[in-house]
Amino acid sequence: VYARFLGALVDDEEVEPSDVSKLAALRRGLGLGWKATESIHVAEAASLAGEEAPGAELPEPLSKLLWASMTLFSTSRGSASADELLSTLGLSEARARGAVNEVSAPLYRAALAQAVGRYNRTQTPLVLQTVRKALNLPEEAAQAVHQDVYDSQLAKCLPSPGDDGAADAELSDETKALLSELEGVLQIRGAAQRVHARTIPLYRSSAAALLEAPTSVGDPGGAWAALALRQQGLALPTERAKAVLQEESRRIATARLEDAARLAAAGRDDEATSALLELTGWADLVGSLVQLAGWSGEAPARDLAERYLGALSLEPGLEEAAQRLLSGTGANLASSLPLLQSMLALGTPSLKAARDDYCS
C-alpha cells in the first residue's frame, strides 16, 4: 500500500508541501518502521533510475522522490537515513541537497508570500522557521529566497537605468517604509548595500546625462540643482554621490581627450585643437559643480577641475599623440595649459619608465 502510494505521488507532476505529511500519516497508520520505509524508498529509486547513472539534471519523478524521501527522513530524529538511497542513485550528499533545495525553494517562496501578507513583523519569522523546517530547507537556502524576494521588490521600486520609469524613480518615504518593513520581516542582512546597488546606477545615469548635456556647460547652477535633487530623491549619501560624479567626470574627460589625441594622430590638428578647447570649457563645468557642492572648500572652479580631472589614464599609444598636441597648442589654449598638463600628468616623458615598469 505504501509503495503504491509513493509511486503515485512521485508520478504526479505537482509538488505540494502536504505530500510529505501524507506519507508520514500513511506510514504511521500502517505501522511501518523506519527501516522498512527506507527500503521501500530505495526500491522506488532503483525502479526509477534503472541501470544508468543520473545525468546532469535529475528527471522530475526522481527529483521529487529524493525530495520527499530526504524531507520525510529528516523527521525521524536519526532513525532513518538517506545514505542507501543516495548510494543507489549514485549521488553525493551535496548534489542531493542541491536537488532537494530546488524543489523546496519554490514551495517556501509561496509560503513566504502568504506569511508576509497574513502575519506581523514579529510573527512572520517564527512562521517561516516552521515552514523551513517542514520543507527540510537549510537556513542559508531560505535566506537566499528572502534576499531574492527583497531584491525583486527593490527592482519594482527602483528600476534599472534604461527601464521604464527609471528616470523618475525615487526612494520616497512610502517606499522606504515598505522596504524597512520587508527588511525586518525577512531579516535581510546588508539591506543598505542592496538599496545602494539600485540607487547608485540610477544616480550615475542621471549624472552622466547632465555632464554630457550641451546646456549644462552654460548653466552649471541648473545642472547642480538637478543633481542635488536626484541625490535627495534617491536618498544617496553625499560621499557616494561625490564618488560617482568624480568617476563619471573622469570617464567622460578621458574619452574626450582620447578623441582629441586620435584627431591629432590622424593629422587633423585644427579639429584636435578645437576638441581640446571644448574639453577645457567642459572641465570648467566639472569644477563649478564641485564648487557649488561645497565639497572642496572655496577654491576656484578651474583649480578644482585640475584636481578632479588630473592624471587621466589614456589608451596605450594615445599619450604621445596627446603630448605632441599639447606642445603645439597656440595662444587660444595658453590659459588652459595647466589644466591640460594636469590631465596628461601620467603621460609625461619623465614618468614613462615608471609607468612601463608598473604596467609590465
Side-chain angles (χ1 to χ4, degrees), residues 251-263 275-276 279 309 312-314 318 321-322 325-326 340 342-345:
R251 179 186 64 80
I252 294 170
T254 299
R256 294 190 177 193
L257 191 53
E258 287 177 343
D259 288 344
R262 290 190 185 94
L263 290 171
L276 282 185
L279 172 58
L309 302 177
L312 300 176
S313 180
L314 274 61
L318 292 179
L325 175 61
L326 201 60
L340 295 171
S342 175
M343 290 181 177
L344 289 171

Side-chain angles (χ1 to χ4, degrees), residues 244-332:
V244 169
L245 183 62
Q246 183 171 15
E247 290 164 7
E248 287 303 300
S249 296
R250 291 179 65 81
R251 179 186 64 80
I252 294 170
T254 299
R256 294 190 177 193
L257 191 53
E258 287 177 343
D259 288 344
R262 290 190 185 94
L263 290 171
R268 298 158 63 181
D269 290 348
D270 290 344
E271 292 177 67
T273 301
S274 296
L276 282 185
L277 189 61
E278 184 178 337
L279 172 58
T280 57
W282 175 86
D284 286 336
L285 164 66
V286 175
S288 296
L289 292 175
V290 176
Q291 186 182 57
L292 289 166
W295 290 339
S296 299
E298 298 181 358
R302 175 58 64 90
D303 291 350
L304 293 173
E306 289 183 25
R307 190 185 310 172
Y308 271 69
L309 302 177
L312 300 176
S313 180
L314 274 61
E315 285 185 13
L318 292 179
E319 291 94 343
E320 291 184 13
Q323 290 288 351
R324 287 197 302 270
L325 175 61
L326 201 60
S327 64
T329 54
N332 56 343

Side-chain angles (χ1 to χ4, degrees), residues 67 92 94 106 117 156 163 177 183 186 192-193 200 212 225 251 257 265-266 285 308 328 352:
W67 169 78
S92 66
K156 292 178 182 179
D163 291 348
E183 176 188 351
L186 300 181
Q193 287 75 14
I200 289 176
E212 296 275 23
R251 179 186 64 80
L257 191 53
L285 164 66
Y308 271 69
K352 185 178 187 305

Side-chain angles (χ1 to χ4, degrees), residues 148-233:
D148 186 57
V149 169
Y150 185 80
D151 289 344
S152 296
Q153 186 61 52
L154 263 181
K156 292 178 182 179
C157 298
L158 299 168
S160 298
D163 291 348
D164 291 342
D168 301 319
E170 290 188 349
L171 201 58
S172 65
D173 290 341
E174 181 180 352
T175 300
K176 289 178 188 176
L178 171 64
L179 293 175
S180 177
E181 180 69 17
L182 202 57
E183 176 188 351
V185 166
L186 300 181
Q187 299 180 328
I188 298 296
R189 305 182 186 98
Q193 287 75 14
R194 290 178 177 276
V195 173
H196 288 158
R198 305 294 305 187
T199 56
I200 289 176
L202 291 171
Y203 182 78
R204 187 181 299 279
S205 178
S206 297
L210 282 165
L211 286 169
E212 296 275 23
T215 55
S216 295
V217 174
D219 184 19
W224 170 245
L227 276 176
L229 286 173
R230 191 67 174 130
Q231 177 189 346
Q232 182 181 18

Side-chain angles (χ1 to χ4, degrees), residues 10-87:
V10 298
D11 285 339
D12 188 353
E13 293 181 359
E14 295 295 324
V15 180
E16 299 290 344
S18 59
D19 288 344
V20 175
S21 59
K22 291 175 183 176
L23 282 174
L26 181 59
R27 186 192 71 83
R28 289 193 300 270
L30 294 173
L32 279 177
W34 280 112
K35 292 302 179 184
T37 304
E38 275 185 43
S39 298
I40 295 172
H41 282 250
V42 169
E44 181 67 20
S47 173
L48 289 174
E51 296 182 357
E52 295 185 8
E57 185 174 345
L58 293 178
E60 286 187 11
L62 202 54
S63 179
K64 185 173 182 181
L65 172 65
L66 187 63
W67 169 78
S69 301
M70 292 186 69
T71 303
L72 176 65
F73 295 169
S74 69
T75 67
S76 71
R77 299 181 180 180
S79 297
S81 168
D83 291 348
E84 187 178 353
L85 179 68
L86 300 189
S87 178

Side-chain angles (χ1 to χ4, degrees), residues 5 8 48 109 131 141-142 145 151 156 167 171 207-208 233-234 301 309 316 335 345:
F5 183 82
L48 289 174
R109 187 182 183 113
V131 173
V145 175
D151 289 344
K156 292 178 182 179
L171 201 58
L234 293 171
L309 302 177
S335 63

